Amino acid sequence: MQLTPARAPFVPAGGMLGRLVSDEVEGAEPTHITRAQGGRVSGISSGSAGTDESNRNWLNSLSQLSCGDSERDGEPVAAVPQRVRTWFEKRNACTLRGALAFVPWVLQQAYRDGGLELNRTVIHRGTGAVAFSEASGFTELTERLAGRGNGAELLSRCLTNFFTPLIDLINSYRGDVVKFSGDALMIYFPAVDDTQSPKYNRIVPPHGTYGLPDLGPMTTAVLRASACCIEIHKRLPDFETGVDNVRLCLIIGVGCGEVSILQVGGQTPPETSVPRCEYLIAGPPLEQISIAQKLAGKRQTCLSPEAWEFVKSCVVEGKRIESRPEYHLLDRMNESKYTFPTIKHAAVENDNRADTQFGSGELHIIRRFIPSTVFKQIEGGTLVYVNEMRIISIVFITCAGLDVMSDEGALKAQELMVSVQKACYQHEGTLNKFWIGSQGLQFLLVFGLPPLVHTDDPTRAVLACFDMVKIFKGLRLVGRFGVTTGRSYCGVCGSARRMEYTVLGDIVNVCNRLMASAKPHSILCDEETKNRSSTEVIFNALAPIKVKGREAWIPVFEPEKKDAVQQIGMTGKMTIRFPWYDHPFGGGAVLVTSSNMPSNMQLNVQQICSVKSWVGIARVQQMLGGSFSKDLHSGEQVIRPPSGQLMHKAPEKSPFAEGGVVVLAGGAGVGKTELAEHMVAFAACHLHMLPVFGTMGPRPGDSVRLATELLKSSIGVFRAVSRKGEIPDDDYAALQKLAPKELAGRLPKLEQALKCSSVKERGLDILESALQVSYSLIQSLVTHTAIVLVLQFDYGTSLHPNKIQDREIFWKSVARLSKLVQANMRDVKEGRQKPLVMLIVCRETDEGDEADPQNEEKRLECNPAIKIARERNTLLLLNGLAEENIPEYTGNYLGVPTQMVPPNLRAFVTNVTGGNPRHIRETIDQLLESCIQVHLGANKRPKHLECKDLDKVDISKWQHTAMVGETVCLLESLDPLTAAVLKMSTCFEKWFTLPDLAASSSSKWADATHFDFLRLFQAVKKLEQKDIIEEVQPGPEDLQGGAPEVCWKREERYGKASRFQVRNMLIKAVGGAMVLESQKKSVKRQALIDRALGRHLPARLEELARKRNAQHIPWYY
């Protein structure tokens, strides 16, 4: 079994948890657990009892198993007690029970028939009836609930209450819910010969009416489908949702014929190591139901001509359809022959599908068809936290003209799915659905589902569409694309018997309409996607359109990928074009236009670098040898060639005087880019050190951009130091002139990349050639002028950086270029070259984690550039502004004196932002809309700053800001159990204890073991290590009876329970908003009950035991 991943095993050495575990293993017979493929536990065998040291070893093994360490598959781990075996078996059974609801019966049958290998496309061929049911009123329901704070909770409850009886009815007629499509179900009634079943009693025919002959498998399948539809309309005619009088009723179409089930895909998503497959039902019945379902009205079922031919003597026809008389409405059963209760009873009696059901040994097969985050939630027992209302970006794609019923079409569908998966996963999206609809093959992609959550998901969705347009054209298929962004329900849909993870809501419906309105190979987006996308995409406004389900006209936009910037670094006007003007570094969406990005960035530089006491600018000024001036960042600064001796001179032993490496490392928004811009501008204007740039990120696969920027900016410096017209204006022609002859064979590979840096084919080969040529060009440049080589890497991913391939590519490139710096440092001392400074801007340095004392080997393998910076004390680890700097920066941003910033505003900004400059800017922008007002005097200068109602601010509603987006990314990057613990933690106003959390998920009163308690403790410690929660001491009010001192009666035996609290306002607000109201009430209620039981129940049980043990003499003696 694969439990919650953890970074390292935790073995409690003592205290409450240590003694708890000792109790659990004392006297227990140990067994051996062997790790199976995929991290599941298998091969459990008995062993002999061990010592305390062996108990520690198996506990360590248990923690390793909980980590899901796939690198040790098949390795015997340790001897563990029998109780552990029971625990794992119980957990596996719970996981299997939850996972089975996500796979239809037909897949389980295909596996038993040997047709579910990864390389097999067609996994089932058969005949039967297919029904398609759609819920009328669902769109209205989602629109009503979208604006409510508890909308996800209400929608989840409505869906469960509606689908549970519906799916139970379908299952009782031998129906198999193959696909969920929003509010619709695709149901397969296979034609099976029940007379050959061992369960057949050979008295009552499979149709259930005694005395009538068997109708045959196909007629019986259609009859069951018809009877099921009739009972559905009777049982669920108008389902009351309880929301503004909205009612749901079903519209159903039925067809029959040959059916194929395809297994397509097989690519591995970025967040897991398990291949992801999709299954698809295809065949003539789908064409039939696409017509029949549209002909049916509310509470009606329409049968195709093929289906009607089988059951016309078994049912009674409803009102005639004048426009399509060959299609027939179903009224009721012909009760003189058949009734739906007898048909259902016979179907249940002959149902042998349980014989083919997956077991625990097939969990690795089930995982292919379940989203990884959902499977982890099932494993962790935290599936209840998967239902949410969240901001996501939806992509709808339709593909017309592909017949998947033929062998050739099935192979092409597989090729298409693999290509779409690759494009989707490349941008860290999720492929949620794949099915055949009325318009052909359809895909539903979602950007923003956990754990792949980003602040720039709308941009990712659009960029993925650009890539997929190329895929469709390459396969000679016609694709249409729709993209929308907004708040939507994300969670499980269905019942405990059969469910799927899906997205539902108004934006999903609108996205489908936009896709239908798009021209071949075109993309249509809504206004919200346009507003939330970065400057990488240009949106052209089209005429508004009218779509079904919307009264108002919808603004529509067609995206266009912005052309690559032709000039990076030194321009023809002798100004500097910084690469971050055109790419949204920092992992967040840039909600400004390309034209005002330079002025906005310069303003940011002025505001943050004016904070004189900030350690960042102080260290930079020491290296540059000059103070900060706002004039340097006012408009475009023309770099003048030096005439005589320079006015400024870098200090001795500074990298700007002798060459070297400067590293600016820190999280997103802490001021790295602003400092880098100031350093480059100062060095160019005052030290005449011209810049060469090479940047990667935040998009994946940016190695070609790194290559082209190095080449273009190097050529730009050559133009700046050469006579006008000496270097050709065409970059490739200039490269042919400047590159050494021995590298001439490398140049043809670079020609296309110089024209279009978005080329991704042969990216590593292009980068290798570019590094060799750039190395030579920079080596030649430093003989004429000093150079600042700026290398920046950022990632816009919620995954751990070590999982990012681009990170390895970037640091290997840095290591290659650092050889140039090392040689330059020697040549500068000898006077042969001008200084070369490598300025690295990144989130993390390429070295081992110093917090881990056992990681010495990784630290010794540190990147050589980082070693140089460490040795010369030029590595700056930025953590944002100190608390004393925040009022000054707040005043700079508001344009008021520092002393005018009121204390309540200072405290609020400090608590919410933690000193992150970008978060401070976003916080002030949000507060200016309702809470802050700057009053100006007669001279138009600030006179007074009014600040009010800060206690009423709901930070979680700032979802369009990077600060909230990054917080969501942080929370979603946690494993399911740790995320669930954090969400539970936000339910408590003050402190909480481990037993408070255990009361909701692994209470000792509910048959939980100490192993469950240990896993909770591991999750809490992980959150504490990440500074998300912190341990607190009881206050005076706790000791005076304001809160129960004894949280668990067994404290005296196990040690005192530590108290924890979420003090970070931003995390508490965002994490709390992700918890449904019913979940909050449940967590608090269970904690209070557990405290009360722990305080009173043990004494009562002791008293009861004393009375039972006392001698009792009946009165009649």
Side-chain angles (χ1 to χ4, degrees):
M1 174 180 176
Q2 206 174 29
L3 300 178
T4 308
R7 186 172 295 177
F10 172 80
V11 180
M16 180 170 69
L17 261 295
R19 288 188 286 275
L20 278 172
V21 171
S22 298
D23 275 4
E24 188 70 36
V25 305
E26 187 176 355
E29 180 187 356
T31 59
H32 288 278
I33 290 185
T34 303
R35 189 186 309 275
Q37 184 178 5
R40 283 187 306 106
V41 174
S42 65
I44 307 178
S45 58
S46 298
S48 59
T51 62
D52 291 339
E53 183 62 29
S54 67
N55 285 338
R56 182 177 300 278
N57 289 337
W58 70 253
L59 177 60
N60 188 25
S61 302
L62 174 63
S63 298
Q64 292 173 355
L65 284 168
S66 298
C67 298
D69 186 1
S70 60
E71 294 180 2
R72 301 178 59 189
D73 286 349
E75 177 184 345
V77 181
V80 295
Q82 177 63 30
R83 280 188 175 183
V84 180
R85 172 178 180 169
T86 304
W87 185 82
F88 274 108
E89 288 175 347
K90 180 181 177 183
R91 292 301 304 275
N92 274 337
C94 292
T95 302
L96 177 63
R97 187 165 54 251
L100 282 175
F102 287 85
V103 290
W105 288 106
V106 67
L107 289 189
Q108 302 177 58
Q109 180 63 50
Y111 177 74
R112 296 303 176 196
D113 294 341
L116 211 55
E117 294 89 353
L118 266 176
N119 59 353
R120 188 165 180 174
T121 302
V122 180
I123 59 175
H124 170 80
R125 292 189 188 274
T127 57
V130 179
F132 182 78
S133 70
E134 185 177 16
S136 175
F138 185 78
T139 301
E140 182 183 1
L141 176 64
T142 55
E143 288 177 354
R144 299 285 180 89
L145 295 177
R148 297 192 184 184
N150 61 340
E153 179 181 359
L154 293 176
L155 185 58
S156 176
R157 189 185 309 162
C158 287
L159 291 175
T160 301
N161 293 339
F162 177 68
F163 279 118
T164 296
L166 176 61
I167 293 174
D168 286 344
L169 282 174
I170 293 169
N171 192 70
S172 63
Y173 283 93
R174 291 279 287 277
D176 189 7
V177 179
V178 178
K179 277 288 184 180
F180 288 76
S181 177
D183 57 323
L185 301 179
M186 187 75 72
I187 310 153
Y188 177 38
F189 295 85
V192 292
D193 189 358
D194 285 338
T195 61
Q196 304 301 317
S197 170
K199 287 190 173 185
Y200 181 56
N201 59 20
R202 305 193 181 280
I203 298 174
V204 180
H207 54 67
T209 302
Y210 177 77
L212 292 181
D214 179 24
L215 299 174
M218 191 63 173
T219 303
T220 302
V222 180
L223 183 64
R224 286 172 177 169
S226 303
C228 179
C229 296
I230 290 173
E231 185 170 2
I232 286 172
H233 292 313
K234 287 185 178 293
R235 306 289 187 197
L236 302 170
D238 286 294
F239 178 79
E240 178 60 61
T241 63
V243 178
D244 298 341
N245 295 321
V246 177
R247 296 174 181 270
L248 302 179
C249 62
L250 291 172
I251 305 171
I252 308 176
V254 178
C256 69
E258 293 184 359
V259 173
S260 295
I261 304 293
L262 276 62
Q263 175 187 241
V264 291
Q267 296 300 298
T268 303
E271 78 278 11
T272 183
S273 59
V274 179
R276 183 79 166 91
C277 295
E278 294 287 339
Y279 52 89
L280 175 72
I281 180 170
L286 275 74
E287 299 177 13
Q288 301 168 24
I289 61 176
S290 66
I291 301 173
Q293 199 266 342
K294 293 178 181 178
L295 296 175
K298 294 181 180 180
R299 297 174 292 279
Q300 289 183 338
T301 296
C302 181
L303 271 63
S304 70
E306 292 81 357
W308 178 257
E309 195 63 32
F310 282 103
V311 296
K312 60 184 178 181
S313 63
C314 308
V315 299
V316 177
E317 184 180 5
K319 185 179 178 181
R320 181 181 173 84
I321 302 175
E322 298 297 338
S323 59
R324 298 294 297 268
E326 68 275 20
Y327 284 82
H328 304 268
L329 293 178
L330 191 61
D331 184 36
R332 64 184 186 276
M333 301 300 300
N334 183 352
E335 296 176 356
S336 64
K337 298 180 179 179
Y338 309 98
T339 63
F340 63 78
T342 55
I343 295 173
K344 179 168 66 173
H345 178 76
V348 172
E349 288 293 314
N350 294 311
D351 192 353
N352 60 352
R353 291 179 295 182
D355 299 339
T356 63
Q357 183 172 286
F358 282 135
S360 298
E362 286 79 42
L363 277 172
H364 64 288
I365 301 293
I366 302 175
R367 292 192 65 174
R368 293 188 211 160
F369 305 98
I370 305 177
S372 63
T373 183
V374 176
F375 190 83
K376 289 178 181 178
Q377 297 278 11
I378 296 171
E379 280 188 313
T382 55
L383 190 62
V384 66
Y385 290 103
V386 81
N387 298 332
E388 298 173 301
M389 294 291 279
R390 60 165 61 236
I391 301 293
I392 56 175
S393 293
I394 303 286
V395 177
F396 249 111
I397 310 171
T398 183
C399 171
L402 181 58
D403 180 16
V404 297
M405 283 296 291
S406 65
D407 292 338
E408 182 183 353
L411 293 176
K412 198 160 190 176
Q414 165 67 2
E415 183 180 2
L416 175 62
M417 170 56 77
V418 168
S419 301
V420 170
Q421 277 186 326
K422 287 180 179 179
C424 179
Y425 298 157
Q426 183 77 6
H427 295 274
E428 293 190 359
T430 302
L431 204 159
N432 185 257
K433 290 282 186 299
F434 178 51
W435 73 101
I436 295 181
S438 58
Q439 303 173 47
L441 287 176
Q442 294 188 341
F443 300 81
L444 176 61
L445 281 60
V446 188
F447 291 79
L449 290 180
L452 303 176
V453 179
H454 318 84
T455 56
D456 57 350
D457 280 316
T459 306
R460 290 171 177 268
V462 176
L463 294 177
C465 287
F466 289 139
D467 293 342
M468 287 183 284
V469 167
K470 296 179 181 178
I471 291 171
F472 276 77
K473 289 181 178 179
L475 294 175
R476 296 183 179 180
L477 297 172
V478 177
R480 293 176 171 84
F481 303 80
V483 185
T484 56
T485 300
R487 185 175 169 86
S488 177
Y489 171 80
C490 308
V492 294
C493 176
S495 70
R497 189 187 293 265
R498 181 73 175 94
M499 64 180 75
E500 279 192 5
Y501 183 78
T502 189
V503 291
L504 301 168
D506 183 50
I507 67 162
V508 183
N509 300 330
V510 173
C511 189
N512 190 16
R513 310 301 183 198
L514 292 181
M515 173 199 70
S517 302
K519 297 178 181 178
H521 301 309
S522 68
I523 309 165
L524 295 185
C525 303
D526 68 340
E527 190 170 18
E528 190 69 11
T529 301
K530 167 188 170 292
N531 293 338
R532 288 176 177 263
S533 293
S534 69
T535 55
E536 298 165 89
V537 181
I538 300 172
F539 289 88
N540 302 314
L542 304 179
I545 64 173
K546 187 80 171 177
V547 299
K548 180 183 177 182
R550 283 286 192 99
E551 295 182 1
W553 291 78
I554 297 181
V556 179
F557 301 86
E558 187 172 19
E560 177 185 348
K561 198 167 186 179
K562 189 172 66 174
D563 294 335
V565 179
Q566 295 302 314
Q567 291 185 323
I568 289 291
M570 297 302 300
T571 68
K573 299 179 180 179
M574 290 300 289
T575 60
I576 301 175
R577 182 72 183 184
F578 293 93
W580 42 81
Y581 289 173
D582 304 290
H583 298 280
F585 285 96
V590 182
L591 303 179
V592 292
T593 62
S594 299
S595 58
N596 63 11
M597 181 61 190
S599 58
N600 282 359
M601 190 63 190
Q602 288 181 343
L603 185 59
N604 291 343
V605 175
Q606 293 177 12
Q607 291 165 346
I608 190 170
C609 292
S610 295
V611 181
K612 298 179 180 179
S613 58
W614 179 36
V615 64
I617 189 62
R619 291 282 304 277
V620 167
Q621 288 177 159
Q622 291 175 1
M623 287 185 282
L624 292 173
S627 59
F628 174 77
S629 172
K630 290 185 177 180
D631 296 337
L632 185 63
H633 303 280
S634 300
E636 288 188 336
Q637 294 294 324
V638 178
I639 312 302
R640 307 290 182 186
S643 54
Q645 193 170 0
L646 294 172
M647 296 179 60
H648 291 78
K649 188 176 181 181
E652 292 184 5
K653 297 186 178 180
S654 165
F656 291 89
E658 301 177 355
V661 178
V662 179
V663 179
L664 301 178
V670 297
K672 307 186 302 293
T673 307
E674 288 85 348
L675 277 179
E677 181 161 334
H678 171 63
M679 295 173 75
V680 171
F682 187 96
C685 292
H686 299 307
L687 306 176
H688 200 66
M689 302 183 74
L690 302 185
V692 173
F693 294 100
T695 64
M696 285 184 70
R699 306 288 163 237
D702 268 348
S703 57
V704 175
R705 198 182 85 222
L706 172 63
T708 56
E709 286 186 1
L710 285 170
L711 295 173
K712 288 185 176 183
S713 56
S714 298
I715 294 171
V717 175
F718 269 107
R719 294 192 180 108
V721 298
S722 304
R723 293 189 301 271
K724 187 175 182 180
E726 185 176 349
I727 307 298
D729 293 335
D730 180 73
D731 288 335
Y732 185 67
L735 198 60
Q736 289 178 310
K737 181 175 182 179
L738 296 171
K741 292 182 180 179
E742 59 269 19
L743 295 178
R746 292 278 184 178
L747 300 186
K749 298 179 181 180
L750 304 175
E751 183 176 8
Q752 185 182 4
L754 286 171
K755 294 178 181 178
C756 180
S757 61
S758 62
V759 174
K760 294 184 179 180
E761 293 78 10
R762 299 179 294 106
L764 293 179
D765 194 20
I766 292 173
L767 178 60
E768 173 63 26
S769 299
L771 285 173
Q772 293 188 27
V773 175
S774 299
Y775 192 103
S776 175
L777 295 180
I778 297 173
Q779 197 172 34
S780 175
L781 280 172
V782 290
T783 61
H784 303 286
T785 182
I787 295 293
V788 178
L789 174 58
V790 183
L791 300 174
Q792 183 174 24
F793 174 69
D794 198 6
Y795 53 88
T797 175
S798 57
L799 299 178
H800 193 274
N802 292 333
K803 294 182 179 179
I804 305 171
Q805 184 182 10
D806 289 350
R807 182 180 190 268
E808 182 181 357
I809 294 172
F810 174 80
W811 286 109
K812 284 184 176 179
S813 302
V814 169
R816 290 273 299 275
L817 295 173
S818 66
K819 297 177 182 178
L820 190 60
V821 176
Q822 292 171 325
N824 173 261
M825 293 168 65
R826 295 190 297 266
D827 291 340
V828 169
K829 290 181 180 180
E830 299 173 3
R832 294 199 301 267
Q833 288 185 353
K834 301 292 179 67
L836 169 63
V837 178
M838 177 184 285
L839 175 57
I840 302 174
V841 185
C842 57
R843 292 202 193 186
E844 300 94 1
T845 58
D846 185 33
E847 56 185 341
D849 186 1
E850 292 187 355
D852 184 1
Q854 299 179 352
N855 215 355
E856 184 67 27
E857 184 178 350
K858 287 188 177 180
R859 291 208 304 274
L860 292 176
E861 295 176 354
C862 172
N863 193 287
I866 303 299
K867 283 186 177 179
I868 297 173
R870 279 199 175 277
E871 292 170 358
R872 306 194 63 179
N873 195 28
T874 54
L875 192 155
L876 279 67
L877 299 177
L878 302 175
N879 295 313
L881 301 173
E883 187 173 350
E884 58 270 18
N885 303 142
I886 295 176
E888 183 179 355
Y889 183 62
T890 303
N892 290 348
Y893 191 71
L894 285 169
V896 301
T898 304
Q899 59 271 20
M900 195 178 290
V901 180
N904 62 336
L905 180 59
R906 298 185 183 194
F908 182 86
V909 173
T910 301
N911 292 335
V912 171
T913 65
N916 186 296
R918 183 168 66 181
H919 294 180
I920 293 175
R921 295 194 298 269
E922 292 180 333
T923 300
I924 297 300
D925 288 339
Q926 296 304 309
L927 295 179
L928 283 170
E929 295 181 4
S930 57
C931 301
I932 297 179
Q933 186 174 2
V934 179
H935 298 278
L936 304 178
N939 56 359
K940 302 298 183 181
R941 292 184 177 180
K943 179 182 178 181
H944 173 64
L945 178 61
E946 182 183 1
C947 184
K948 59 182 181 180
D949 298 333
L950 291 179
D951 57 330
K952 299 179 181 179
V953 174
D954 186 357
I955 303 172
S956 63
K957 292 185 177 179
W958 301 351
Q959 294 176 336
H960 57 285
T961 62
M963 61 185 292
V964 172
E966 289 166 5
T967 304
V968 173
C969 293
L970 169 64
L971 302 186
E972 297 297 1
S973 67
L974 303 172
D975 62 72
L977 180 61
T978 308
V981 167
L982 175 59
K983 291 177 181 179
M984 288 190 285
S985 303
T986 62
C987 300
F988 299 94
E989 292 295 329
K990 295 184 179 179
W991 56 265
F992 61 90
T993 64
L994 200 61
D996 291 334
L997 300 179
S1000 295
S1001 58
S1002 52
S1003 173
K1004 63 181 182 294
W1005 313 107
D1007 197 31
T1009 67
H1010 297 318
F1011 306 126
D1012 298 303
F1013 205 79
L1014 173 62
R1015 294 179 66 238
L1016 275 180
F1017 184 73
Q1018 285 182 299
V1020 169
K1021 298 303 292 183
K1022 187 183 295 185
L1023 292 173
E1024 190 179 11
Q1025 291 170 2
K1026 292 178 175 289
D1027 295 327
I1028 295 176
I1029 66 174
E1030 56 185 287
E1031 187 172 349
V1032 297
Q1033 298 300 322
E1037 68 279 3
D1038 298 329
L1039 300 177
Q1040 295 173 4
E1045 173 63 18
V1046 180
C1047 299
W1048 200 4
K1049 193 63 179 176
R1050 297 173 72 185
E1051 269 190 356
E1052 294 180 0
R1053 182 180 178 189
Y1054 296 118
K1056 293 203 171 183
S1058 301
R1059 300 163 187 252
F1060 302 93
Q1061 187 173 356
V1062 183
R1063 285 185 171 175
N1064 186 302
M1065 289 180 60
L1066 181 59
I1067 290 179
K1068 188 164 187 175
V1070 176
M1074 299 169 72
V1075 185
L1076 302 182
E1077 286 300 320
S1078 62
Q1079 294 169 349
K1080 291 180 181 179
K1081 293 178 182 179
S1082 175
V1083 169
K1084 294 178 181 178
R1085 181 172 59 249
Q1086 295 297 331
L1088 289 173
I1089 292 174
D1090 187 81
R1091 290 181 182 183
L1093 290 174
R1095 194 161 56 245
H1096 301 296
L1097 188 59
R1100 294 187 180 185
L1101 291 175
E1102 289 176 6
E1103 177 65 19
L1104 180 61
R1106 186 188 63 79
K1107 290 181 178 180
R1108 286 178 176 174
N1109 292 331
Q1111 187 176 6
H1112 175 64
I1113 301 176
W1115 62 273
Y1116 46 81
Y1117 286 99

